[in-house]
Amino acid sequence: MSLGLGVAQLAAPDTVRRISGVDDSATSRTVVPLVGARELVHAAGLLTSRRKNVWAWTRVAGDAMDLTALAMAIAHRDGHRRRRLLAVTGAIAGITALDLLTAVRATQTSKTGSAPTARSARREREGGSMDLTATTTIRRPASEVYAFWRDLENLPTFMAHLEQVRTTGDRTSHWSAAAPFGSSVEWDAEITDETPGEKIAWRSTGDAKVPNAGTVRFLPAPDGVSTEVHVVLVYDIPGGAVGKAVAKYFGEEPHQQLDDDLRRLKQVLETGEVVRSDGAPWGKRARKEFPQRPAQPLSDAELEKGADA
């Protein structure tokens, strides 16, 4: 409303004066654009400031000024100009009531904190959420890599923390994953955006204990043969910032996990199996994870030895 009134009073002040019944005087030619500029300041504050309640009250103050000026003008007008001023005054009175209600509600919201500001939302995000990004290049066409990922039940074959992904619909699925210290979590998810061969985006649904969302993009690599896989994950780690620190201390740092996951994806699609490190072929026995470095597939004897161990 402030934006519309401000633009109108600055762009067409003569029309505004004529409609409202204000005479063409030097004072009105000065006041109308000034009021328009004031409305634009209100609009800028309401659209950009986090303190909405303060700017809502500035509109109420501006309305009071307008009503006072209109009352003075009515006292010195008669005929059709007086009637137009009365109509405008009624409209401004209605706007004032709306602004007053908005200001009161905004003040109550500010005091109770029922609607966190952008700054507080960022603090909450910094306290318990984590953004992860990772990229790898796989020597397979984008259509093949996309198809493998799109079959969500394939994800546990390379994502070490996932225990199972079960498809429940064309765009829905149920996930279960290992969490730090031997615990586990489950949630439902849905695909929110999809471009075949190019992109898959998903998010958890319902009351997930670990709210999460992700996007993976499949881009043709410059060599014309390979595919660049770009992954972005956002999720809340149980325990917030403390949980992050403890998980990192015990070797379960999420950024490293995602890098390892994509390395395993590359190995699965390029060689048909995960290539484990020669130094620790069975890795963390509890979940059969493994620190990785370039290596050759294990021989039959090494596989047998690892199984016996």
Side-chain angles (χ1 to χ4, degrees), residues 68-285:
T68 300
L70 286 168
M72 294 175 60
I74 290 172
H76 296 85
R77 302 293 190 279
D78 55 19
H80 72 281
R81 285 187 175 178
R82 184 184 180 92
R83 289 191 294 272
R84 287 186 180 181
L85 284 169
L86 286 171
V88 171
T89 301
I92 297 299
I95 292 173
T96 302
L98 179 60
D99 287 342
L100 183 60
L101 178 62
T102 301
V104 170
R105 287 182 175 177
T107 300
Q108 291 174 342
T109 297
S110 176
K111 289 180 179 179
T112 60
S114 59
T117 62
R119 180 178 297 174
S120 66
R122 282 198 296 271
R123 284 199 298 267
E124 292 168 2
R125 183 180 183 82
E126 290 168 0
S129 296
M130 179 168 287
D131 293 9
L132 307 177
T133 60
T135 303
T136 192
T137 300
I138 300 174
R139 195 169 177 78
R140 287 289 184 271
S143 58
E144 181 179 335
V145 181
Y146 163 84
F148 185 82
W149 193 301
R150 181 59 178 84
D151 184 357
L152 300 179
E153 296 186 1
N154 285 329
L155 298 185
T157 64
F158 63 90
M159 289 188 168
H161 69 288
L162 286 179
E163 296 175 341
Q164 183 185 39
V165 177
R166 177 168 49 85
T167 301
T168 58
D170 184 50
R171 301 173 71 87
T172 59
S173 53
H174 182 79
W175 302 46
S176 60
F181 318 120
S183 60
S184 62
V185 290
E186 296 187 16
W187 67 91
D188 292 317
E190 65 176 354
I191 292 177
T192 57
D193 190 16
E194 181 178 14
T195 303
E198 298 180 8
K199 180 180 72 172
I200 304 171
W202 70 95
R203 67 179 178 187
S204 60
T205 60
D207 188 20
K209 291 183 178 179
V210 184
N212 62 89
T215 302
V216 57
R217 298 179 183 275
F218 309 90
L219 306 177
D223 64 7
V225 177
S226 304
T227 301
E228 293 181 359
V229 180
H230 299 261
V231 180
V232 177
L233 295 179
V234 181
Y235 65 94
D236 294 328
I237 298 179
V242 175
K244 285 190 226 177
V246 176
K248 184 175 182 179
Y249 179 80
F250 281 91
E252 297 176 334
E253 207 282 325
H255 287 92
Q256 185 60 48
Q257 282 188 1
L258 183 57
D259 287 340
D260 289 345
D261 287 343
L262 290 190
R263 192 176 297 115
R264 286 188 283 271
L265 172 64
K266 176 181 175 69
Q267 292 172 350
V268 168
L269 289 175
E270 289 184 353
T271 70
E273 64 177 319
V274 172
V275 182
R276 296 186 169 92
S277 168
D278 293 335
W282 296 105
K284 300 176 185 176
R285 293 182 179 277

